[in-house]
Amino acid sequence: MVHAEASPLEHNVRASTSCRQQVDLKSRRATDYNTPLLKSDRLTAPNRRRAMRFAAIVAVFLSQLMDYAASAKQTDRTPRIAVICAYSPEWLALKSAMSEVRTEIIADTTYIIGKLENREVVLFLSGVSMVNAAMTTQGAIDHFKITRIVFSGIAGGINPSLSAGDVVVADRWFEYLESVFARKTGTGWSVPDWLGKTKPNYGMIFPYAVGIAHPGQSKPEKRFWFDVDPSMLEAARSVAAKIELRACIKKDVCLGHTPRVVIGGAGVSGPAFVDNADFRTWIYDTFKANSVDNESAAVAHVAYSNHIPFIAFRGLSDLAGGDIGENTEDALESLASDNSAAVVEVFLHALPN
């Protein structure tokens, strides 16, 4: 192929064009690095890559956020009764009576889902103590569709007319160690006026109302007592006389009386294990309580705040310091737990839908 030699004029035109292109390129590069991008320049290849990397990071974050939100939602939409016990001896009889069971573990709490007396239930251990009971109960409410709450366990007997082995079903509960530790003044005690009303004291301990925050209220509600659901209490009353409770630990070791179910009266709960005759007397004189335990009032509090009906059944394993001789909880916890569970099973069967 023969190439025609360019004329001097063509050489000058090409050189001029090349120079202008180099100047434009240098000017554009200077603009890229030294001035803000115009809207029309923001989708250049480097910016697109940066945007894609940022979008990928955001997508991962949103995915993790959605997973977290999903984990906080109810995992089971079947309406269920929460049946709660504090520790393992209390739930053995109830767990063995369940059918169609499956297990879920949420925040280190084992929830057993299934049927008890043909009722859809979720059974779990709250753990001993007010904090454990409140935490696990709220966890159940958050993850399951809880329609009623039933507590079954043991307690110390406070009412002098009651005996170990009896089952008590209180109609109201008080967190009796929510209290003011008062200042000593001469021969008495001084509680600041601004704290409001207190119950009669035991030494420096003045029981005080719990404060409950409600939406739209400038001040918390002050509440001493949490009532049991009336319809659930009536269902318990309807079956109380039909239940035969255990009176023997084993064949030749029995109580000296026939245990009974007592419906109504007060119950109190607090973080202390009570084994003191004087303190027991004060609890009865102050609150007219039938029993004392470590969980029921906390669960009643959570039920109240979530507007869920509540009831508790407590088998008396000891007399909270009123026993003749040593405290009997260790010897009678199995009998007391089984008696409470027996009442709960009959109660669930009789409970209206």
Side-chain angles (χ1 to χ4, degrees):
M1 180 180 294
V2 178
H3 296 277
E5 186 176 342
S7 68
L9 179 60
E10 290 173 329
H11 278 297
N12 292 337
V13 171
R14 290 176 184 173
S16 176
T17 301
S18 176
C19 287
R20 283 198 304 272
Q21 289 174 342
Q22 290 178 12
V23 170
D24 289 344
L25 181 58
K26 289 178 181 179
S27 177
R28 180 53 187 268
R29 285 175 179 167
T31 301
D32 287 345
Y33 284 103
N34 296 308
T35 62
L37 290 173
L38 298 174
K39 287 184 179 180
S40 59
D41 295 322
R42 289 176 183 169
L43 295 179
T44 61
N47 289 326
R48 279 199 300 271
R49 286 194 293 271
R50 292 189 195 103
M52 290 174 67
R53 284 197 298 270
F54 179 76
I57 293 170
V58 170
V60 170
F61 173 77
L62 290 176
S63 176
Q64 292 175 343
L65 188 63
M66 290 174 67
D67 288 344
Y68 175 81
S71 69
K73 293 179 180 179
Q74 290 181 341
T75 58
D76 182 339
R77 295 297 298 166
T78 301
R80 296 188 185 279
I81 299 171
V83 180
I84 312 171
C85 301
Y87 72 129
S88 57
E90 295 177 337
W91 80 339
L92 295 176
L94 294 170
K95 188 165 66 168
S96 65
M98 288 183 66
S99 61
E100 301 179 28
V101 298
R102 61 184 174 86
T103 298
E104 287 191 28
I105 299 175
I106 303 170
D108 288 339
T109 299
T110 300
Y111 295 93
I112 301 176
I113 302 101
K115 289 189 175 182
L116 181 62
E117 292 298 320
N118 207 35
R119 300 280 185 172
E120 296 285 356
V121 304
V122 53
L123 173 69
F124 61 96
L125 297 179
S126 68
V128 176
S129 92
M130 304 286 277
V131 173
N132 283 335
M135 177 183 68
T136 52
T137 302
Q138 188 62 56
I141 293 168
D142 291 342
H143 288 90
F144 300 94
K145 190 174 182 179
I146 302 301
T147 57
R148 292 164 171 161
I149 298 173
V150 177
F151 203 106
S152 178
I154 64 174
I158 297 296
N159 188 328
S161 70
L162 300 177
S163 303
D166 292 347
V167 174
V168 295
V169 188
D171 58 26
R172 62 195 183 279
W173 289 92
F174 182 38
E175 296 167 279
Y176 78 112
L177 288 182
E178 292 283 343
S179 54
V180 179
F181 281 24
R183 179 180 300 196
K184 184 74 172 175
T185 56
T187 59
W189 305 95
S190 175
V191 176
D193 291 338
W194 55 266
L195 283 173
K197 185 179 179 181
T198 62
K199 295 289 185 182
N201 62 305
Y202 182 84
M204 70 174 183
I205 303 172
F206 287 73
Y208 180 59
V210 163
I212 305 172
H214 295 289
Q217 292 187 358
S218 59
K219 293 183 179 180
E221 173 195 6
K222 297 292 187 179
R223 175 169 286 272
F224 283 106
W225 294 98
F226 294 93
D227 294 332
V228 165
D229 179 70
S231 64
M232 296 175 79
L233 191 69
E234 190 55 39
R237 196 186 308 277
S238 71
V239 300
K242 305 173 185 178
I243 303 168
E244 185 176 343
L245 301 176
R246 277 180 60 192
C248 296
I249 302 170
K250 48 189 178 181
K251 187 175 181 180
D252 56 346
V253 181
C254 297
L255 302 171
H257 59 276
T258 301
R260 59 197 176 106
V261 181
V262 177
I263 308 293
V268 297
S269 307
F273 178 84
V274 179
D275 191 31
N276 181 281
D278 289 341
F279 195 68
R280 175 182 188 254
T281 299
W282 170 75
I283 294 175
Y284 183 70
D285 290 344
T286 304
F287 307 105
K288 293 296 181 283
N290 285 335
S291 65
V292 60
D293 64 62
N294 302 121
E295 300 87 21
S296 297
V299 177
H301 184 156
V302 173
Y304 173 80
S305 294
N306 286 274
H307 312 289
I308 298 175
F310 165 80
I311 193 169
F313 299 80
R314 290 287 184 170
L316 302 185
S317 60
D318 62 276
L319 299 181
D323 323 74
I324 299 173
E326 296 295 321
N327 184 283
T328 60
E329 179 182 317
D330 188 56
L332 297 180
E333 68 177 0
S334 175
L335 180 146
S337 297
D338 288 352
N339 280 352
S340 178
V343 180
V344 167
E345 288 183 53
V346 177
F347 162 79
L348 289 174
H349 185 78
L351 189 63
N353 292 323

